[in-house]
Amino acid sequence: MSLFRTLLALHIMGIISWMAGILYLYRLFVYHALETERVVKDRFQVMEWKLYRYITLPAMVVATGLGLLMIHMSPGLIVEHWMHAKLGLAAILIIVTLRAGRFVRSFREGRETHSHRFFRVMNEIPTLLMILIVLLVILRPSLT
């Protein structure tokens, strides 16, 4: 088994964990924004913090780091236009993930004011990004 294929497998596992975490996190925000009982809000805060800190953020770091390492190992990838698009979409996904960290903090501090509808929309963004990234990687369109 080659090192590159091993890294690719680990990269894919990181992406799966990252996507599971970010999709569930935004869904928790929907329920949290709807909640009125203090004890339930407190439970959501713990769940959100642990999901973000121990699963979503580390998975993002692993997926990103391994992806960059594979690009370094295969410099021909960086000249591909589909890769430029993929990296741009991945950058947006990183921003969406880091923004989720801010939402975690604002919920913990009791100052989050966005509605459940806002979080329902935000929950769709990572899904759309994932679909586009997978299509780019599998189809590798020329984009020229």
Side-chain angles (χ1 to χ4, degrees), residues 1-9 69-71 73-74 77:
M1 179 176 354
S2 74
L3 175 60
F4 187 87
R5 292 182 72 68
T6 301
L7 294 175
L8 179 60
L69 180 58
M70 289 186 303
I71 288 171
M73 292 172 66
S74 296
L77 285 175

Side-chain angles (χ1 to χ4, degrees), residues 4-142:
F4 187 87
R5 292 182 72 68
T6 301
L7 294 175
L8 179 60
L10 293 171
H11 175 68
I12 292 169
M13 287 182 239
I15 292 166
I16 291 168
S17 299
W18 180 10
M19 290 307 303
I22 197 64
L23 292 172
Y24 186 43
L25 188 56
Y26 275 104
R27 180 54 50 188
L28 286 175
F29 294 157
V30 170
Y31 299 136
H32 195 159
L34 285 167
E35 191 51 58
T36 57
E37 292 186 40
R38 181 79 251 153
V39 67
V40 179
K41 286 180 168 245
D42 291 344
R43 189 174 304 127
F44 276 126
Q45 289 171 7
V46 171
M47 292 169 63
E48 291 158 357
W49 170 249
K50 288 183 177 182
L51 178 61
Y52 182 73
R53 178 69 174 92
Y54 299 115
I55 296 172
T56 310
L57 197 57
M60 179 189 78
V61 170
V62 167
T64 303
L66 291 174
L68 293 173
L69 180 58
M70 289 186 303
I71 288 171
H72 177 72
M73 292 172 66
S74 296
L77 285 175
I78 199 63
V79 299
E80 299 287 339
H81 294 296
W82 65 267
M83 181 57 78
H84 298 164
K86 177 196 175 200
L87 291 174
L89 294 172
I92 296 168
L93 187 56
I94 289 169
I95 291 166
V96 169
T97 302
L98 295 176
R99 185 66 180 113
R102 285 187 162 178
F103 291 133
V104 168
R105 282 187 288 285
S106 64
F107 272 120
R108 284 181 74 162
E109 295 167 0
R111 54 182 178 78
E112 184 52 58
T113 59
H114 289 96
S115 72
H116 67 95
R117 288 184 184 95
F118 170 81
F119 288 114
R120 286 182 197 280
V121 171
M122 287 299 294
N123 191 51
E124 300 308 320
I125 293 172
T127 304
L128 179 60
L129 292 168
M130 177 194 60
I131 290 167
L132 293 172
I133 290 169
V134 169
L135 288 172
L136 285 168
V137 171
I138 300 300
L139 300 176
R140 297 184 178 202
S142 63

